[in-house]
């Protein structure tokens, strides 16, 4: 979950923006003054959303410190002051986007989504898609398994079983669970089909460490 640090001293606006961003699926940590925000810069959230007019320090100070600590940390700032000047100064300090007050909360959400898409979008889906087990990389979307650069040919059920134990790595899964998840409730065959599929997986992927708990189930053991 993407984490957003929101700095806004107007309490009602602070709450409102937090709520909107949370509904969108973001984790939001809020600050109502500049100093407490400054003290958390090293946390490196995925995004800062900050107001320029704060009771204690200038929002620009925060942008400056954020960028000093790590230049590519994304920042969206908000201001109701002399708009044009604020926009120019904020962007010169390295901010990624700007909202002039008043604005609709929805507008902030759109800007945030867009920024994340631009900054993390592609990279993120790639990370979510790939599971690494032993030396193998499993791509969920492509439904492929690679050993270094060599693709391993698996049947549909072999792939699904591999994915299932990989997603439950270091946890014992019973043959019943496997059967239910891969073959479904309406499968009438015996649990032997699980054993047979595991056997074929072991043969095709000999670096996998699949432990057998006799009469019970299996566990894919990985170091990570
Ligand atoms: Ca303010």
């Amino acid at each position: 979950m993407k984490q957003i640090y929101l700095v806004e001293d107007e309490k009602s606006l602070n709450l409102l923006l937090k709520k909107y961003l949370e509904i969108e699926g973001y984790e939001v940590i809020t600050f109502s003054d500049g100093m407490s925000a400054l003290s958390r810069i090293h946390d490196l959230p995925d995004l800062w959303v900050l107001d320029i007019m704060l009771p204690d320090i200038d929002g620009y100070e925060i942008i400056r410190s954020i960028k000093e600590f790590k230049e590519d940390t994304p920042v969206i700032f908000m201001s109701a002051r002399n708009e044009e000047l604020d926009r120019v100064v904020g962007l010169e300090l390295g901010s990624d986007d700007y909202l002039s007050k008043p604005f609709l909360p929805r507008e902030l959400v759109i800007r945030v989504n867009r920024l994340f898409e631009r900054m993390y979008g592609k990279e993120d889906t790639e990370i979510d898609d790939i599971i690494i087990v032993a030396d193998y990389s499993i791509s969920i979307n492509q439904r492929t398994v690679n050993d270094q650069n060599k693709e391993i040919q698996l049947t549909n059920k072999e792939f699904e079983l591999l994915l299932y134990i990989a997603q439950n790595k270091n946890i014992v899964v019973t043959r019943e669970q496997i059967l239910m998840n891969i073959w479904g409730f309406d499968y009438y065959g015996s649990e032997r089909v699980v054993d047979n599929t595991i056997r074929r997986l072991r043969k095709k992927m000999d670096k996998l460490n699949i432990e057998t708990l006799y009469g019970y189930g299996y566990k894919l053991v990985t170091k990570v």
Side-chain angles (χ1 to χ4, degrees), residues 7-10 13 51-55 78 101:
V7 190
E8 171 58 69
D9 58 304
E10 282 167 57
L13 184 60
D51 185 29
I52 293 299
M53 285 274 271
L54 295 166
M78 317 173 276
K101 287 181 175 178

Side-chain angles (χ1 to χ4, degrees), residues 38-73:
L38 267 186
S39 73
R40 298 289 295 275
I41 281 173
H42 59 270
D43 292 1
L44 282 176
D46 297 297
L47 169 69
W48 282 90
V49 175
L50 52 96
D51 185 29
I52 293 299
M53 285 274 271
L54 295 166
D56 49 352
I57 50 168
D58 200 313
Y60 292 140
E61 278 307 307
I62 306 177
I63 301 180
R64 223 171 263 131
S65 305
I66 290 169
K67 295 289 175 178
E68 242 170 54
F69 185 68
K70 192 168 181 292
E71 211 187 341
D72 58 1
T73 309

Side-chain angles (χ1 to χ4, degrees), residues 2 46 70 72 74 115-130 141:
K2 290 270 182 292
D46 297 297
K70 192 168 181 292
D72 58 1
L115 183 65
F116 277 138
E117 230 172 79
R118 211 163 66 220
M119 306 212 47
Y120 304 104
K122 204 163 173 256
E123 192 186 341
D124 230 16
T125 44
E126 276 167 18
I127 290 168
D128 288 346
D129 174 49
I130 302 284
N141 293 337

Side-chain angles (χ1 to χ4, degrees), residues 208-219:
L208 281 186
N209 182 9
I210 306 173
E211 282 181 4
T212 305
L213 287 94
Y214 284 101
Y216 188 68
Y218 297 96
K219 177 164 77 171

Side-chain angles (χ1 to χ4, degrees), residues 157 175-176 178-194 196-197:
K157 292 295 184 214
R175 292 146 99 209
E176 258 179 326
I178 295 173
L179 205 58
M180 213 89 100
N181 277 281
I182 313 299
W183 280 268
F185 285 100
D186 50 358
Y187 180 76
Y188 291 110
S190 87
E191 288 175 358
R192 293 283 303 168
V193 72
V194 175
N196 290 336
T197 310

